[in-house]
Amino acid sequence: MLTVRIADCHLCADDPHTALATLTPVLDTDGTPLPALVRHELRGLRTRLAAGADRWGPGAAEAVARLGAAI
């Protein structure tokens, strides 16, 4: 949960590359479902990431898809 919040802080500070790097361990799970509260936080982060994907490039759009699959 803390990792997701830290990534969200980076995203809100207009630093999507650091946000995505921070999220990598969360998204690279072995298929085990994430806890409900973490999924809730990831939904908000995904919404903010999708809103800025045009400015942040294709990596952001790819991350939005990965987040959708994780939650």
Side-chain angles (χ1 to χ4, degrees):
M1 171 88 165
L2 181 60
T3 301
V4 175
R5 291 255 173 120
I6 290 169
D8 200 20
C9 288
H10 283 291
L11 189 61
C12 289
D14 203 28
D15 187 4
H17 302 293
T18 303
L20 296 177
T22 303
L23 279 178
T24 298
V26 175
L27 297 177
D28 289 343
T29 60
D30 59 359
T32 305
L34 296 169
L37 191 53
V38 173
R39 288 192 320 268
H40 175 75
E41 291 292 323
L42 285 173
R43 279 192 287 277
L45 194 144
R46 182 185 67 181
T47 300
R48 284 183 284 288
L49 187 61
D54 292 341
R55 322 181 283 203
W56 294 325
E62 179 184 321
V64 168
R66 287 183 68 198
L67 281 169
I71 56 176

